[in-house]
Amino acid sequence: MRRFAQMLAAAAGGAMVLAGLAAPAHAEVWNCFSSVNTTTNVAGAFCASGFGSYRVAATCNSAHYPYTRTVVGPWVTKASGQSGPASTVSGDSQGCHVVKAWTQFP
């Protein structure tokens, strides 16, 4: 009986070590939408389902070098079961005009 208890304790310890080495859970968002409002010169991204982080990225055109560059909004985190926050970026603050947007994931 004592030997069985030792084996059980060893197995439990090994399982705890393996659990510590396992990869962390991967958060995932989906039903994501991105858009550009040329009137306000703002790009935005919004995810409706899942949970995790995302941000908007946008192609921004300028009359000055570099003529086209990518600008990004802040990372936002969507909680499970709640509506996701929007990540937005303004072309005005970047000195360019947003023309295309997409959602980025970590």
Side-chain angles (χ1 to χ4, degrees), residues 31-36 42-48 54-58 73-76 84-89 101-105:
N31 290 336
C32 298
F33 307 93
S34 57
S35 64
V36 171
V42 171
F46 174 85
C47 293
Y54 58 93
R55 70 179 175 186
V56 66
W75 288 104
V76 295
S87 174
T88 60
V89 64
W102 63 96
T103 306
Q104 283 187 335
F105 308 97

Side-chain angles (χ1 to χ4, degrees), residues 69-85:
R69 65 184 188 275
T70 300
V71 295
V72 295
W75 288 104
V76 295
T77 301
K78 182 191 174 315
S80 181
Q82 295 182 0
S83 191

Side-chain angles (χ1 to χ4, degrees), residues 12-25:
M16 288 176 23
V17 168
L18 288 177
L21 297 176

